[in-house]
Amino acid sequence: MTTVALMGNPNTGKTTIFNQITDTYAYVGNWTGVTVEKKMGNIKHSEIVVTDLPGIYSLNPITKDESVAINYLLTDDADIILNVTNAGQLKRNLLLSIELLEFGRPTVIALNMIDDLKRSGIYYDINTLSEKLGCHIETTNARNKDGVKELRDELLNMPADELPDGSALELNYPFMVKQAIRQASEKLISAYDMKPAFARWVAIQYINKNKIIRKYAVKNDLKPLLEQQGYYDAQNFENKIFNTRLSFIDETLTSATKNLESTKNVEMTSKIDKIITHPLLGLPIFILIFLFMFKLSFDWIGTPISDQLDALLSGPISTYADKLLISIGAMPFLRSLIVDGVIAGVGGVLTFIPQIFTLFACISILEDSGYMARAALVTDRIMQMIGLNGKAFIPLIIGFGCNVTGIMAARTIEQPKERLITTLISPFMSCSARLPIYSLFVAAFFPKNQALIVLSIYFLGIAVALLMAKFYQVIFKVKDSTVFIVELPKYHIPRLDIIWRGTWDKSKGFVKKAGTIIFAGTVLIWLMSNFGPAGFVTDIDNSFSALLGKVLLPMFAPIGITSWEAISALFTGIMAKEVISSSMMVLFHTSSQTALIAAFGQMFTPVAAYSMLVFVLLYVPCFATIGTIKSETGSTKWAAYSVVSSFVIAYAMSFIIFQVGSLLF
Amino acid sequence: MQLMSDNVMNKSFDLCNIEQLDTQTAQRLHSLGIHDGSLMSVVRFFPMHGPVIVEIEQQQIGIRYKVFKLLCGGQLQ
């Protein structure tokens, strides 16, 4: 089996190419030590496995997601490296290519976005490039699928085992550097049994102050390198290496450049940017775009479809299933489990799929168009006030969809402290799983101001998140951060297939959850509400869930929650927030939202209802989020801290709202 | 607030002082092919000393105002 590692700068179209050359793919987690996502797929009709790795600027990582690539080179033996580059910015893309070519594996460089290059009036002579760099080169324009077939054939026709080692690129580094590399690699080969190309690459990376390689050297006790570290650094070899690489690239590109005749250079990007990144209009436009997104998801498209799904499910489907079960003579026990438990609970959650798909489709469009980088820039000044930078805004926005993906997106933030803060405040962003319960409550208590009430909950979440960030900034003594470099890619007209794939990738987790954890949660709450200390109970007041709820009642009374059903539902909600609403359905033995809304009216005052919504917004993150916090921070302590702190904050906020609200209304 | 106006916009600077930045920022700039002596022109300022959009080596990037000022060296007047 041949393996291909897909590597390159961020935003060069790696994933687009990956999606086009592979047919099956899967996310795989759990990398050595840290959990990070890589994506693997098979090239159509072959045994070749392609691994899509996060984008990197160089092999020396600054952020956590960037360290995946170098760790991959160190631990997994990629047979072929496919280096995807942005042809329009070949100069800096080649800085990474050189590092990869020095690794000595058979390499194919794809000059992607070749059309952008031609439009700028330049073209490169492929043969010259290929000869200078000593590797295969293909030109592609992956968004239009140009050249992708040729690239795939190239990979298929590359017998990995026939290419000998020693084909690594050797630059003409200054004499002192060259000598240092030679001496170190000779010792590494003889004393540590390394392959020549690998030894040379390790030596260069070590001299070049690659953090991961320096750790690798300590771990494997690579004495020839460790002993010379002081000398390498004192001589400033790092800079010498950089300068040699840069002049090699300049020389190569100069000899390969062909100027094309007149070009019609339509600068769409700068025209759009005149408005989008306007110093004063930028922020209002950002808010408008997100408002539009939420309107689309919750008012215009998502909710109407949702309502129809709900009507179908609680009406015909429920009745039909019940009749069918009676006709085949199923026990009342089983009938209740299926109709009141599974159909009501799981079905009730599935009706929110339209909203979630619409929201994720919008986020995918923004990602694909190139707007996200601008959003980071526009919001940077505000984020700076709370000790974060504009890049933290994107994970938080993604958190509106799902806190888990939001926390994972925080990997692109450079400073560990800022990343930790972003991780800790992410759960306060109101994820889509909390929407079902909001929808139920606003329909019951605030029928005239539904959108306004939900919006106020979202903003309360943001406010709490920002306040906590400020608090952490003071506690952790975060200094004014400086690493904030955002590339502004050219705008693309979003492509339907890319949007679809992005939307599906993001929302399939939700669908999967419905079949697993939400299903389990529903069955659990059904069992708890149908069994008590005395066995099967017909009166729900004697069930386990009633007992549990009643024990906790005194604790929840000060925040306005006086029904044990709500407490039991909140309890199961820790499994997944969607389960709160499905639990309610089960506890009230109904699959119709209208019936549930009527039942609520007797249990809550509007103020108590609002207090309950605030509590749902802020209290303990779901299992998946807790797990992600643990894996991303690498500590159980932070996960536990998150659980406790969010519960305390939720209780305090609801307490204030209920007590003050009760006085006022 | 200092007014950054027409005299800076669209003017080119010879970039300098990269080695005076913190190592991470310097490393990232190097990876983008940006080095002392690169030509940098200003595309846009955000208010209240917010980020600055500059064009270097045919690519637009956003950097913090503090970094921008340092990279300009004494040329910013």
Side-chain angles (χ1 to χ4, degrees):
Chain A
M1 192 181 69
T2 317
T3 53
V4 178
L6 199 54
M7 298 177 129
N9 280 190
N11 242 317
T12 49
K14 283 182 303 300
T15 304
T16 313
I17 287 188
F18 174 82
N19 286 340
Q20 286 175 6
I21 58 176
T22 58
D23 49 358
T24 53
Y25 73 105
Y27 277 104
V28 183
N30 269 332
W31 205 259
T32 44
V34 278
T35 315
V36 271
E37 267 180 310
K38 58 171 180 165
K39 220 170 159 190
M40 291 172 81
N42 272 70
I43 292 191
K44 285 164 189 162
H45 316 299
S46 80
E47 286 282 281
I48 300 181
V49 176
V50 184
T51 306
D52 187 18
L53 297 158
I56 46 171
Y57 289 98
S58 79
L59 287 181
N60 187 6
I62 292 182
T63 66
K64 192 173 170 182
D65 65 329
E66 286 170 1
S67 56
V68 178
I70 178 101
N71 281 325
Y72 183 87
L73 289 183
L74 284 175
T75 52
D76 289 62
D77 222 10
D79 298 309
I80 301 171
I81 294 174
L82 173 55
N83 175 211
V84 181
T85 62
N86 177 346
Q89 287 166 349
L90 205 51
K91 180 174 168 183
R92 66 132 152 125
N93 279 261
L94 285 181
L95 279 167
L96 174 66
S97 305
I98 289 175
E99 291 188 89
L100 296 174
L101 289 167
E102 281 174 343
F103 189 64
R105 287 281 135 169
T107 302
V108 178
I109 294 182
L111 299 186
N112 197 20
M113 309 187 187
I114 197 78
D115 285 13
D116 280 351
L117 180 75
K118 283 183 196 159
R119 232 172 281 141
S120 68
I122 303 174
Y123 198 70
Y124 295 118
D125 182 60
I126 303 303
N127 289 333
T128 315
L129 276 185
S130 172
E131 193 185 308
K132 291 253 180 195
L133 296 170
C135 68
H136 300 270
I137 291 184
E138 288 287 332
T139 59
T140 55
N141 201 32
R143 291 181 73 83
N144 301 329
K145 304 193 175 170
D146 296 339
V148 173
K149 193 181 166 296
E150 289 79 0
L151 181 65
R152 186 168 57 223
D153 293 343
E154 176 88 51
L155 290 173
L156 287 173
N157 296 330
M158 256 175 105
D161 41 333
E162 279 174 33
L163 281 141
D165 264 0
S167 59
L169 182 70
E170 292 197 22
L171 293 194
N172 194 14
Y173 290 117
F175 177 72
M176 302 272 274
V177 180
K178 237 199 256 179
Q179 200 183 31
I181 296 170
R182 188 173 49 80
Q183 284 170 351
S185 45
E186 272 168 9
K187 284 182 199 150
L188 288 175
I189 295 165
S190 61
Y192 294 85
D193 204 24
M194 282 188 189
K195 285 182 184 162
F198 183 70
R200 188 169 177 278
W201 177 80
V202 168
I204 297 174
Q205 289 292 333
Y206 186 90
I207 294 171
N208 205 24
K209 290 189 184 165
N210 185 319
K211 281 192 284 291
I212 301 283
I213 295 292
R214 293 226 160 162
K215 272 189 213 147
Y216 177 81
V218 173
K219 203 178 120 213
N220 293 292
D221 197 27
L222 303 178
K223 286 202 185 68
L225 294 171
L226 297 172
E227 282 161 2
Q228 297 292 323
Q229 184 187 340
Y231 164 70
Y232 298 151
D233 294 353
Q235 294 287 324
N236 209 350
F237 280 169
E238 185 196 12
N239 251 333
K240 295 193 168 85
I241 289 178
F242 176 70
N243 289 333
T244 310
R245 285 177 178 168
L246 212 58
S247 49
F248 170 76
I249 292 169
D250 277 337
E251 198 187 291
T252 307
L253 291 185
T254 313
S255 66
T257 301
K258 292 193 279 191
N259 284 313
L260 296 179
E261 303 223 333
S262 75
T263 49
K264 270 183 260 161
N265 197 351
V266 189
E267 262 302 323
M268 177 177 79
T269 295
S270 66
K271 272 185 195 156
I272 297 176
D273 266 345
K274 271 220 165 83
I275 305 165
I276 294 281
T277 64
H278 188 276
L280 299 176
L281 293 179
L283 209 52
I285 288 173
F286 169 81
I287 294 167
L288 276 181
I289 288 176
F290 277 89
L291 193 70
F292 181 74
M293 217 166 90
F294 277 67
K295 275 276 177 198
L296 219 57
S297 311
F298 303 126
D299 275 355
W300 298 332
I301 298 181
T303 311
I305 303 177
S306 247
D307 288 345
Q308 291 189 348
L309 256 178
D310 177 55
L312 185 75
L313 214 73
S314 60
I317 293 185
S318 261
T319 328
Y320 185 75
D322 202 30
K323 277 188 189 142
L324 185 80
L325 287 166
I326 293 175
S327 72
I328 59 168
M331 289 179 294
F333 168 80
L334 191 68
R335 233 172 66 212
S336 161
L337 173 64
I338 290 175
V339 178
D340 302 331
V342 176
I343 295 183
V346 177
V349 169
L350 284 180
T351 54
F352 292 94
I353 283 181
Q355 277 116 324
I356 286 157
F357 265 68
T358 321
L359 187 66
F360 281 147
C362 292
I363 291 178
S364 297
I365 290 174
L366 288 188
E367 281 175 351
D368 191 45
S369 67
Y371 179 71
M372 284 302 198
R374 274 86 182 172
L377 211 63
V378 170
T379 52
D380 181 59
R381 190 65 194 85
I382 293 175
M383 298 301 275
Q384 221 181 332
M385 287 186 226
I386 55 160
L388 295 176
N389 72 46
K391 281 189 189 170
F393 218 91
I394 296 164
L396 293 181
I397 291 292
I398 292 174
F400 280 141
C402 173
N403 292 161
V404 172
T405 45
I407 291 171
M408 306 254 257
R411 279 189 198 141
T412 53
I413 298 169
E414 283 89 350
Q415 282 87 349
K417 276 182 188 167
E418 289 188 17
R419 190 166 60 229
L420 178 63
I421 295 178
T422 312
T423 304
L424 289 178
I425 65 174
S426 280
F428 298 127
M429 306 313 277
S430 185
C431 69
S432 53
R434 281 166 247 191
L435 255 182
I437 193 73
Y438 297 165
S439 302
L440 278 176
F441 268 66
V442 292
F445 295 99
F446 313 99
K448 286 189 186 137
N449 300 311
Q450 296 198 21
L452 200 69
I453 295 290
V454 174
L455 200 69
S456 75
I457 294 287
Y458 271 86
F459 272 99
L460 185 71
I462 298 174
V464 171
L466 297 187
L467 272 175
M468 288 310 288
K470 187 71 197 171
F471 171 72
Y472 292 135
Q473 184 200 4
V474 177
I475 296 290
F476 297 164
K477 300 188 179 74
V478 179
K479 280 172 271 149
D480 185 25
S481 72
T482 41
V483 186
F484 177 71
I485 297 174
V486 180
E487 269 190 89
L488 300 180
K490 286 201 163 64
Y491 283 109
H492 290 300
I493 294 166
R495 276 181 59 101
L496 208 61
D497 53 334
I498 297 172
I499 303 300
W500 166 245
R501 195 125 179 180
T503 309
W504 176 240
D505 268 355
K506 291 186 188 75
S507 22
K508 70 177 175 201
F510 181 82
V511 179
K512 241 189 235 161
K513 242 167 48 176
T516 53
I517 194 152
I518 297 171
F519 177 80
T522 313
V523 172
L524 178 77
I525 192 82
W526 185 87
L527 288 173
M528 278 175 62
S529 59
N530 280 283
F531 286 88
F536 188 74
V537 291
T538 40
D539 184 4
I540 197 165
D541 274 344
N542 299 323
S543 66
F544 280 122
S545 36
L547 283 177
L548 175 78
K550 282 172 186 165
V551 168
L552 294 173
L553 260 180
M555 192 185 154
F556 282 87
I559 63 168
I561 300 175
T562 51
S563 86
W564 62 261
E565 289 93 341
I567 297 172
S568 296
L570 284 173
F571 203 71
T572 50
I574 299 174
M575 297 175 79
K577 296 290 164 89
E578 299 92 330
V579 178
I580 303 176
S581 56
S582 56
S583 291
M584 294 270 196
M585 303 258 186
V586 175
L587 289 168
F588 288 101
H589 287 299
T590 176
S591 58
S592 134
Q593 292 186 4
T594 333
L596 198 58
I597 286 167
F600 280 164
Q602 289 146 21
M603 272 182 288
F604 293 94
T605 62
V607 175
Y610 194 77
S611 161
M612 162 95 179
L613 288 185
V614 171
F615 191 78
V616 169
L617 166 76
L618 302 170
Y619 89 118
V620 184
C622 69
F623 278 162
T625 308
I626 298 172
T628 313
I629 294 175
K630 180 176 176 285
S631 60
E632 291 297 299
T633 57
S635 102
T636 316
K637 200 185 78 195
W638 283 120
Y641 168 79
S642 173
V643 170
V644 175
S645 66
S646 51
F647 186 85
V648 171
I649 293 167
Y651 194 86
M653 286 299 287
S654 306
F655 182 81
I656 295 169
I657 285 172
F658 180 67
Q659 296 298 336
V660 175
S662 300
L663 289 178
L664 294 177
F665 300 101
Chain B
M1 192 184 95
Q2 181 189 349
L3 213 75
M4 306 297 312
S5 53
D6 306 337
N7 58 339
V8 188
M9 300 298 272
N10 302 318
K11 199 178 137 187
S12 287
F13 298 95
D14 282 327
L15 204 134
C16 58
N17 294 332
I18 284 196
E19 73 285 355
Q20 284 181 32
L21 292 165
D22 63 295
T23 41
Q24 292 193 333
T25 309
Q27 186 198 326
R28 181 55 38 94
L29 287 175
H30 273 172
S31 303
L32 291 168
I34 297 167
H35 48 90
D36 280 354
S38 291
L39 272 188
M40 168 171 79
S41 59
V42 178
V43 179
R44 176 148 274 168
F45 285 105
F46 281 89
M48 295 161 57
H49 287 183
V52 185
I53 304 180
V54 292
E55 186 165 323
I56 316 173
E57 308 277 346
Q58 291 97 43
Q59 59 193 332
Q60 291 200 350
I61 59 167
I63 50 176
R64 282 265 165 94
Y65 181 77
K66 243 166 69 186
V67 175
F68 168 76
K69 220 169 140 185
L70 187 76
L71 292 177
C72 284
Q75 304 162 75
L76 192 68
Q77 241 97 56

